[in-house]
Amino acid sequence: MRIAINGMGRIGRLLLRRLVKIEGLEVVAVNDIMTPAQLVYLQKYDSVYGAAEDEVALENGQLCIAGKTVQILQQPDPAKLPWKELDIDLVLECTGLFMDSAGAGTHLQAGARKVLLSTTGAPDIPLCIYGFNQHQVSTGSLIVSPGGCMTNCSTHLIYLMQSIGIEAVHLNVVHSYTSRQHLVDGPHKDMRRGRAAAESVIPVPVDLAESLERLFPVLKGRIHTVTTRVPVANGALADFTFQMKADTSVQEINRIFKEAAASEYKGIIAYTEDPLVSNDVRGNTHSAVVEGSLTAVTGRMVKLMAFFDNEYGYTSRVVDWVKLLKEQQAS
């Protein structure tokens, strides 16, 4: 499978590190408006995951990584990218700018065969979460939206809690700061997001509830979500409060997740009763690490908590999608 990455931010760079090591996948080109020298530098050194294990260099204007050569492009208009000439099977759209069928579709117009977003797309693109409803993607699906890191964490946990019966759910994702926040106070349409990210705990609105209602229409109007950004560079804790339809217990809930993590959700959900902190899941490949010692039940209200690496865990699911699309291509 011949792959191109559009947008070399946090997710694009981490995907490149991982994809170049997978047999049968060839990253042909990356596209970003930053200079090639800057791109190579950020690919080589990372403040969260450390320096790249493989050699990274800029040679004759091209990116050389792990002994492979990747063409560097600097085209802001995806419709003008040379995907047809480069025979691109799959574009990983990682800019966060082209999230509807019209925007992402420009990659198809440019000659790519398929597009995989790096976040939740617009409602005109089917939302498919790996491990939940990936079977809905057929060989004829040209644009795939795999959800974001928070959607991938919460979807599986809500689905499993549905085996008991959910009346309503409130979810607060305690999340590391991101590039869409300010380092120092400044103007922003969301005034709190404009405050210094490393100096405050900052509530930030998020459209996660809308995404989850698309996946669980039976819960429409009964899901509330918010994120609270905290002064760490990586890691997140999903804090669920469920109002259940039936009586339950800590033992029953933990049993459900422990069994799921060992069987049908192996590799996607992990379960532990160790006293974790967010730094313990850095580099963890799971979408959610349920911390059973934090599970609590009061009446029919349930507290459930799960850690996840918002970058590495998420790119693990994107890699799963790439492998699945490659299998579809071969069939």
Side-chain angles (χ1 to χ4, degrees), residues 12-26:
R13 296 196 299 271
L14 187 52
L15 280 170
L16 179 60
R17 277 194 178 192
R18 304 185 67 182
L19 292 173
V20 294
K21 299 181 180 182
I22 300 175
E23 186 176 351
L25 302 178
E26 180 183 1

Side-chain angles (χ1 to χ4, degrees), residues 172-279:
N172 177 20
V173 182
V174 184
H175 197 290
S176 54
Y177 52 71
T178 71
S179 61
R180 288 184 290 178
Q181 293 175 254
H182 287 183
L183 287 178
V184 297
D185 290 355
H188 196 287
K189 62 181 180 179
D190 177 356
M191 292 186 183
R192 280 193 285 235
R193 199 189 286 255
R195 301 296 300 278
E199 293 295 328
S200 290
V201 175
I202 303 175
V204 174
V206 65
D207 60 0
L208 177 58
E210 289 85 347
S211 299
L212 293 172
E213 287 178 352
R214 290 172 62 185
L215 298 166
F216 301 99
V218 69
L219 293 176
K220 186 174 180 60
R222 292 187 282 160
I223 303 175
H224 176 76
T225 59
V226 68
T227 63
T228 303
R229 303 295 170 85
V230 295
V232 297
N234 175 260
L237 173 65
D239 180 350
F240 295 83
T241 301
F242 291 96
Q243 180 67 42
M244 307 304 293
K245 291 183 177 180
D247 293 336
T248 185
S249 66
V250 170
Q251 292 74 23
E252 179 184 20
I253 292 166
N254 283 350
R255 176 188 57 78
I256 288 172
F257 287 102
K258 187 174 183 179
E259 291 178 356
S263 54
E264 69 269 28
Y265 281 95
K266 187 175 183 180
I268 297 176
I269 291 176
Y271 176 85
T272 185
E273 294 182 7
D274 292 343
L276 300 182
V277 298
S278 62
N279 208 38

